[in-house]
Amino acid sequence: AAGGALLLSLKPSLLDSPLPRIASYAGAAAGASSHGTIEAVRPTALIVAFLNGVKGVVFGSELRATLGAVWDSDPASCYSVGQTVEARVLRSEPAKRRLVLSLLSHEQAAATPALTGVGNGGTAKAGAAAQYPPGAAVALRAGDEVRGVVAGWQDRAAPKEEGGGEEGVWVALSGGGGGHGWLPLSQLGDVRALLPLWRRALRPGASLPPLLVLLVQPKALGGAGRVTLTAKPSLRAALAGGRLPTGPEPPRGVRLLCGWVAKVKREGAYVGFAGPLRGFAASADISDASEDARALLSAGQSVLALVAGGTGGSRERTLQLQLGHDALAEAAKAEAADGVAEAAAVAGLPSRAGAEGAPLLPLAASFLRERWSIAGARAAALEDGDEGDEEEGQKASAAAESVEAALGSARDAAAPLSLEALRAVRVGSVVELRKPATKRASADGVAYAAQLPGGASAPALAPAGSQKLKKEETARGVVLDVDPLSSVVHVSTSDKLVDAHSPGGEGGESSGKKRAAAPVSAAADAAQRLRVGARVVATVALSRPGLLVLSLPKHGHALGVAVHHALWSGAGARPELLAAEAAKYSSGQKVQAVVTSLPSEAADGGAAAPEPLQLSMVDAPLAAAAGDAAVSEGGVGPLRRATDARPGVHALARVADTSTTELHVLLDRRGAVRGRVHFTELAAPGQRASLPSASPEEPVHVVVLGGGKAADRQGARSTGLVECTMRPLDVAGGGAAPPAPAVLGG
């Protein structure tokens, strides 16, 4: 053809090959062998090129099984681009231009049929445990971090007494002595609704997220041993924060632990950690809403638990746990000096400076990171030409498509497959919008085409009622969410948001006047000025299943993300329940939230996109129990001067002394402004009030009622001390407190 090029080869290994030549997908018969050249060497596969542009894939599971740790550590030392290899056709699909190959001969494949992983979609059937022995992995300890790739899938775990019947992944471990580990499907992530997407995306040879050793059983599976792993971001963060036990005893002085539901029955839930320690929570100690724990929790999901006691010896110790919201909140209040750290953990907040314990991962972080990890694994599978369309693959795809539909993340056929283009866009970016080239009907909003950095174009969706563009018309929109599963960018065309997120734009309601041109927007600047623990009033910008995007009008219209539920038990919700929760919120609705994390760059080594401001929808009484970690909007601290002691002002005071009826506090740093809290101002009207066992200099969060000649709320004249309150609703920001979040179950 005119302008075409003729690609030639002088390789003797190709010219002198006695094997049939493959020049088309239709002509590649199953079982036939031919010489080809390696076009690409990847950690998950080899790409082999034949004549006329025909390409095939050799999966990493076969290469790993035949080459072992050498392939894991350095694939380029095993094969090189341009090398000639003899490949045997396992499966050819001309309609999809797909060719699956093996480098094993007929004799080798017959002797080790599990190596190719073909014929059942890569799923390991009976005897999988024998095919994937732990080897040197039994030398690992609970809490060790490891890396690995998918060796094979198994539909039913063994042995029965260890939760048999759960689907999972056999993992080929990288580094060290190698070996294999067992990763239950429920341990692949924190968000239960996304698990079917993991099942479809992870093919044999696919790389897995960072893994944590949960349990090592050298004598399990008839003596072969088993190493159980987890990829849950919540458990990895809890281990770093000292809240995930790895031995037979819980960490000393820590009452609130993060664990996972090992088994759930009507009478209660068994909770596992990392290592041999176990706990049990009766249904009555989980929620008053149901007497059946199975309606509240699901196996594998992460939970926060209060240690109420323990039974048995050190070898078979079982902790008595409470998972109920009220019990966790009361435990936070009762911790005295450590109460701030404990309550912050319950609320999903980082601990204050100087308090023991690192932060537990915010719920929104797990959802965001897992979406990107799944999208990356799926993109690798598509690039390698393997979508698992055998019987098992079809089942996995059908389940995944159902989940994507429920979450509103169905893949758009016209969307770009490159995740790099999507990673260049973050929440708060301003993009140019055009009318889409092809009409895409959507009941969820108005469709656009968004111009991404680098010139790529992606489908965009704005809330219903947004401006509809005519041909050649353009508009600007603010990115609310980048969904890597669907490659759809969710935007808002609100003039206030667009202006606030544009460099030099106005900073929102509290800005007063227009800002000068700056390298960052008013919203980005305001987001960085927030501090973790600040309580804010927010406006709903977008509510999607599993994700809530909020705008902060009094903070430059900065955007933050949250989930609809405040407790980790909500991570076990099914997709349809997440969709029902999302439907309870509408654009423009005002809510209260707490800042849990400031904007950051990409997590997990750049595998995900930069993470936006993260918020928690924790209820007001629980946030108030966290002391100075749950503060009023804009942050709270000591008063600067006596004239600041105006009614309604929040202050971080220090305890001076106590009497039988009053708590005396110092409201400023120098101790010149003194106040008092009557014991009736410690509880809501109608509830029993009593003075706390506070120590001198202990920080307390108070709200000023009056001072000097001002009257308190009962009308009595002040005695010169500033009258203050510590009632939970006042400390939380006033008004009626939102209802406690329901425990979302399976």
Side-chain angles (χ1 to χ4, degrees):
L6 191 63
L7 184 62
L8 305 174
S9 175
L10 296 176
K11 281 179 171 288
S13 56
L14 294 180
L15 293 172
D16 301 334
S17 173
L19 300 177
R21 303 185 191 279
I22 295 178
S24 67
Y25 290 96
S33 294
S34 180
H35 280 108
T37 57
I38 295 178
E39 183 175 273
V41 180
R42 301 172 182 155
T44 58
L46 286 179
I47 305 301
V48 181
F50 299 98
L51 302 180
N52 202 28
V54 177
K55 299 177 184 179
V57 59
V58 181
F59 293 122
S61 55
E62 174 184 319
L63 300 167
R64 187 166 298 102
T66 55
L67 299 172
V70 179
W71 172 262
D72 285 330
S73 60
D74 189 9
S77 68
C78 303
Y79 294 96
S80 59
V81 174
Q83 178 181 347
T84 302
V85 293
E86 180 181 338
R88 182 169 56 90
V89 177
L90 296 176
R91 186 172 75 239
S92 178
E93 301 172 32
K96 296 184 177 182
R97 296 178 60 82
R98 180 182 303 158
L99 196 61
V100 180
L101 307 170
S102 173
L103 300 184
L104 299 175
S105 66
H106 284 283
E107 294 75 15
Q108 291 172 318
T112 54
L115 294 183
T116 59
V118 175
N120 55 9
T123 303
K125 299 295 184 182
Q131 297 173 20
Y132 306 111
V138 294
L140 294 169
R141 296 178 299 177
D144 287 348
E145 185 168 297
V146 295
R147 300 301 295 258
V149 298
V150 176
W153 277 93
Q154 179 173 301
D155 290 334
R156 294 197 172 273
K160 214 174 208 180
E161 60 271 17
E162 291 297 330
E166 185 176 15
E167 198 172 12
V169 179
W170 290 102
V171 180
L173 299 176
S174 307
H180 295 88
W182 168 246
L183 177 61
L185 178 62
S186 61
Q187 293 291 341
L188 263 168
D190 288 324
V191 185
R192 181 187 181 188
L194 297 178
L195 294 181
L197 305 187
W198 281 112
R199 176 63 180 90
R200 179 187 61 182
L202 291 178
R203 315 308 301 165
S207 297
L208 290 162
L211 303 169
L212 197 68
V213 176
L214 274 186
L215 189 63
V216 179
Q217 300 166 281
K219 297 182 180 180
L221 302 179
R226 183 167 73 170
V227 177
T228 303
L229 309 169
T230 182
K232 282 176 166 290
S234 61
L235 296 185
R236 293 175 55 215
L239 179 67
R243 298 190 183 278
L244 179 66
T246 58
E249 296 285 337
R252 183 172 298 179
V254 178
R255 298 185 65 200
L256 288 167
L257 303 176
C258 183
W260 52 281
V261 178
K263 188 183 298 185
V264 59
K265 295 184 176 181
R266 177 181 177 83
E267 60 271 20
Y270 294 87
V271 177
F273 303 99
L277 187 65
R278 290 290 184 267
F280 177 77
S283 295
D285 292 327
I286 298 175
S287 174
D288 294 332
S290 175
E291 296 181 354
D292 189 348
R294 294 172 297 183
L296 306 170
L297 302 171
S298 59
Q301 74 179 82
S302 296
V303 290
L304 284 161
L306 164 66
V307 180
T311 60
S314 60
R315 285 183 170 271
E316 298 180 353
R317 183 173 171 81
T318 300
L319 300 178
Q320 296 175 359
L321 305 175
Q322 294 181 356
L323 307 183
H325 175 274
D326 293 340
L328 297 176
E330 288 301 320
K333 296 176 184 177
E335 283 293 335
D338 290 336
V340 173
E342 298 299 334
V346 177
L349 301 175
S351 305
R352 64 174 180 174
E356 294 183 1
L360 291 177
L361 194 67
L363 280 167
S366 282
F367 186 81
L368 295 175
R369 294 179 189 181
E370 289 178 31
R371 285 197 312 180
W372 281 99
S373 295
I374 292 170
R378 186 183 67 185
L382 291 172
E383 190 175 0
D384 291 341
D386 176 40
E387 294 180 285
D389 55 350
E390 296 292 336
E391 181 182 357
E392 291 297 330
Q394 291 174 350
K395 292 179 181 178
S397 294
E401 289 170 2
S402 175
V403 169
E404 288 174 337
L407 296 178
S409 295
R411 195 192 323 175
D412 193 312
L417 293 178
S418 172
L419 295 180
E420 293 303 319
L422 294 175
R423 286 194 185 99
V425 188
R426 65 177 67 195
V427 172
S429 297
V430 177
V431 296
E432 183 179 273
L433 304 175
R434 298 178 180 273
K435 184 177 181 179
T438 57
K439 188 174 181 180
R440 297 197 317 275
S442 175
D444 298 325
V446 179
Y448 298 101
Q451 297 301 119
L452 306 183
S457 178
L461 193 63
S466 300
Q467 174 189 1
K468 293 185 178 181
L469 299 177
K470 297 180 181 178
K471 190 175 182 180
E472 305 301 330
E473 275 189 330
T474 63
R476 292 199 303 162
V478 174
V479 175
L480 302 178
D481 180 39
V482 181
D483 188 349
L485 300 177
S486 64
S487 294
V488 172
V489 178
H490 293 261
V491 300
S492 169
T493 57
S494 163
D495 291 337
K496 283 186 177 181
L497 286 181
V498 170
D499 187 56
H501 288 268
S502 301
E506 294 189 15
E509 296 176 11
S510 63
S511 299
K513 58 183 179 180
K514 198 164 184 175
R515 297 166 52 94
V520 296
S521 66
D525 181 62
Q528 292 294 345
R529 292 176 182 273
L530 284 166
R531 74 182 183 92
V532 170
R535 176 169 286 279
V536 294
V537 175
T539 301
V540 175
L542 177 69
S543 182
R544 300 189 60 208
L547 190 66
L548 195 61
V549 183
L550 304 174
S551 168
L552 311 183
K554 294 187 178 180
H555 297 277
H557 289 287
L559 293 172
V561 298
V563 293
H564 301 84
H565 43 82
L567 297 182
W568 267 108
S569 52
R574 296 181 182 275
E576 54 270 19
L577 189 50
L578 293 183
E581 287 294 309
K584 296 178 182 178
Y585 293 82
S586 57
S587 296
Q589 180 179 345
K590 288 190 175 182
V591 297
Q592 286 189 343
V594 175
V595 177
T596 60
S597 178
L598 299 182
S600 63
E601 294 306 313
D604 287 338
E611 294 185 350
L613 179 74
Q614 296 188 40
L615 308 168
S616 171
M617 299 292 289
V618 64
D619 62 300
L622 182 56
D628 67 338
V631 297
S632 61
E633 183 171 327
V636 66
L639 299 182
R640 294 184 178 181
R641 57 187 71 87
T643 54
D644 290 340
R646 300 183 302 274
V649 170
H650 292 246
L652 184 63
R654 292 172 291 137
V655 174
D657 56 70
T658 60
S659 69
T660 56
T661 59
E662 295 177 345
L663 184 70
H664 295 138
V665 296
L666 306 176
L667 295 170
D668 66 337
R669 296 186 186 278
R670 295 183 302 164
V673 185
R674 300 176 65 87
R676 71 172 181 179
V677 182
H678 194 266
F679 81 96
T680 57
E681 293 295 333
L682 295 171
Q687 295 185 355
R688 183 179 179 181
S690 60
L691 285 174
S693 57
S695 304
E697 296 299 315
E698 181 178 337
V700 290
H701 185 178
V702 302
V703 179
V704 175
L705 293 176
K709 296 181 180 180
D712 63 15
R713 81 164 89 220
Q714 282 81 31
R717 305 297 295 181
S718 172
T719 59
L721 297 174
V722 177
E723 301 291 340
C724 302
T725 181
M726 291 174 60
R727 290 182 178 178
L729 295 186
D730 290 307
V731 171
V743 177
L744 304 182

